[in-house]
Amino acid sequence: YLCAQATGQAAKSARTVVITGIPDGLLHNDVMTDILMIHFQMSKNNGGDVEEVTYPTVRKGVAYVTFEDQEVVERVLKKDEHRLEDKRLSRYYPLNVTRYCENVFSSVTSVLNMSIFKDQFVLEDLIEEFKKKSTALSFGPLQSNGHISVQGSFPAIELLRDFLLLKAKCLSEKDKREESRSHQRPKRRQQQHSLTTGTSNFIRDAGGEKQVVVLDTDIYHYMKYFFPRTFLVNDDVVISDITDGDITMVYIENAGSRSDAGQVLRVKEKIENQSMKLHNALRKERIYFKEHVRDEKRRYKWVCESLKPHYPSVLVIPYDTHIDVIGNSSETLEFTKDV
């Protein structure tokens, strides 16, 4: 029975797509669900009969749309651009549509600090440039302190990060050229130089001694648990990490007496290769506690621990309100159903 349930769930997943970029908080959830239903049933959007729209979900601006026919999924994914348009919306919103089965970590949220660019660019214009380059991402409003939230697929956020760091590096190099011409620099420019240098130093090219890898936090936890050798290095290399919500920054730097940038780069490449393999293979399910009481949480924990030996490749991460289950598609589904 459980096997049949898991098989049915897997078949449903194959008919499901993940939608990101939905404007959050503008309309009532039922109204937004209706708008999404209409959008993905329209022939001009390559749509078809929709079985179910799941909205809202755990992540803001993310929905799951399940079609009655798997062929519709293929058609919807082939459409170059999905624009959410309706008379109840003041403007259109670009949507990012991804296959549910292929990319479970379909949406992450990150906060960008744009303040380091304010001396060189009009921030609003720079953000418009980002939006044109990263149509798959959804941007929040620019805050007075220069912070802006961005949401989308993890690979798309990685590309934006690379573009940002390239901008910062260009500014740093420009400052160095100007400094060589004149040692008397305005105080404000000196401060800006130190900020951009700090941003770009940890992504030095092949000649550098420090590198950074940006990972999805769930994938990072999975790697640390099941592939600890990925982070195993000798005394000449030091690895540290900083986790900020959905994203974990892993820093790799040379600590030995002799500088060996090649060794740092090899460790970085090993981590990146392993993370990409897992990104394509892993799936995450979330089990919510029905009641936030100690006894219920204890029961869930006991059940998970008793089932864990039967699912050796599944990682279980308990939180105050829910449990995250991470692993390959079939095991994750079966484990969640068993729980």
Side-chain angles (χ1 to χ4, degrees):
Y1 173 72
L2 288 173
C3 183
Q5 271 194 325
T7 303
Q9 183 64 36
K12 181 179 178 180
S13 298
R15 293 184 284 109
T16 301
V17 292
V18 182
I19 316 299
T20 59
I22 300 167
D24 183 65
L26 291 184
L27 301 171
H28 192 276
N29 291 335
D30 290 342
V31 176
M32 186 58 72
T33 300
D34 183 55
I35 292 174
L36 289 168
M37 175 84 74
I38 293 170
H39 175 90
F40 286 101
Q41 285 181 333
M42 296 177 71
S43 57
K44 75 171 187 176
N45 297 320
N46 294 354
D49 292 335
V50 174
E51 177 184 306
E52 180 184 23
V53 175
T54 304
Y55 182 84
T57 59
V58 178
R59 301 186 186 281
K60 289 184 178 181
V62 177
Y64 300 104
V65 176
T66 302
F67 296 98
E68 292 185 2
D69 191 341
Q70 188 175 344
E71 291 180 4
V72 182
V73 171
E74 306 305 324
R75 295 205 306 264
V76 165
L77 292 170
K78 287 178 182 178
K79 184 172 173 60
D80 292 334
E81 183 181 21
H82 281 273
R83 292 185 173 193
L84 192 64
E85 298 178 281
D86 191 275
K87 62 184 179 181
R88 291 164 286 187
L89 294 170
S90 59
R91 63 178 179 87
Y92 80 83
Y93 291 86
L95 299 178
N96 183 37
V97 183
T98 54
R99 194 185 303 273
Y100 181 73
C101 295
E102 281 189 352
N103 187 6
V104 64
F105 303 106
S106 56
S107 179
V108 295
T109 301
S110 183
V111 177
L112 306 179
N113 181 5
M114 305 295 295
S115 61
I116 66 168
F117 297 106
K118 65 183 179 182
D119 289 341
Q120 296 286 343
F121 299 100
V122 177
L123 294 187
E124 289 78 6
D125 293 344
L126 190 59
I127 290 167
E128 285 302 314
E129 184 181 355
F130 293 163
K131 289 180 179 179
K132 290 178 182 177
K133 285 182 174 292
S134 308
T135 56
L137 294 175
S138 175
F139 291 83
L142 179 65
Q143 305 296 323
S144 58
N145 59 0
H147 290 191
I148 185 171
S149 64
V150 57
Q151 184 181 61
S153 69
F154 188 76
I157 286 184
E158 275 193 307
L159 290 174
L160 176 62
R161 166 194 164 273
D162 291 342
F163 180 68
L164 269 172
L165 292 175
L166 183 62
K167 284 274 189 187
K169 185 175 182 181
C170 290
L171 289 181
S172 176
E173 291 174 350
K174 179 182 177 183
D175 281 347
K176 288 176 183 177
R177 290 195 298 269
E178 291 181 7
E179 189 174 15
S180 66
R181 297 193 193 103
S182 173
H183 293 288
Q184 295 180 345
R185 300 169 58 85
K187 186 176 180 181
R188 187 180 183 188
R189 294 285 293 139
Q190 284 181 338
Q191 291 173 341
Q192 197 272 337
H193 167 73
S194 66
L195 284 169
T196 54
T197 303
T199 306
S200 59
N201 271 352
F202 62 73
I203 54 147
R204 289 180 203 161
D205 296 330
E209 300 173 2
K210 192 171 185 179
Q211 297 287 332
V212 65
V213 182
V214 183
L215 299 176
D216 179 285
T217 297
D218 290 318
I219 290 179
Y220 174 68
H221 287 318
Y222 197 90
M223 288 174 66
K224 287 277 286 186
Y225 189 84
F226 287 106
F227 301 94
R229 292 182 64 84
T230 307
F231 302 95
L232 188 63
V233 293
N234 57 34
D235 294 338
D236 292 333
V237 176
V238 175
I239 294 180
S240 58
D241 61 82
I242 298 176
T243 296
D244 182 11
D246 295 324
I247 289 177
T248 295
M249 309 278 281
V250 178
Y251 298 92
I252 311 128
E253 56 186 310
N254 194 300
S257 56
R258 293 187 303 170
S259 177
D260 185 1
Q263 188 175 12
V264 171
L265 287 170
R266 286 191 293 273
V267 173
K268 178 188 177 186
E269 185 178 359
K270 180 172 69 171
I271 295 173
E272 286 177 332
N273 290 341
Q274 184 64 63
S275 70
M276 286 308 299
K277 289 179 185 177
L278 294 175
H279 193 278
N280 293 328
L282 293 181
R283 175 192 182 116
K284 179 170 75 174
E285 292 286 344
R286 183 162 285 179
I287 303 171
Y288 288 97
F289 300 136
K290 295 177 182 177
E291 300 174 5
H292 302 303
V293 294
R294 185 178 300 176
D295 287 345
E296 190 198 21
K297 293 177 184 178
R298 190 183 295 116
R299 283 198 301 271
Y300 270 101
K301 185 178 180 181
W302 179 84
V303 170
C304 287
E305 288 178 351
S306 64
L307 288 173
K308 188 69 174 67
H310 302 289
Y311 299 91
S313 299
V314 166
L315 177 64
V316 178
I317 307 178
Y319 294 95
D320 286 340
T321 58
H322 62 274
I323 294 172
D324 280 346
V325 182
I326 304 169
N328 67 51
S329 180
S330 59
E331 283 203 352
T332 303
L333 281 169
E334 290 177 21
F335 182 90
T336 304
K337 288 292 182 183
D338 282 358
V339 173

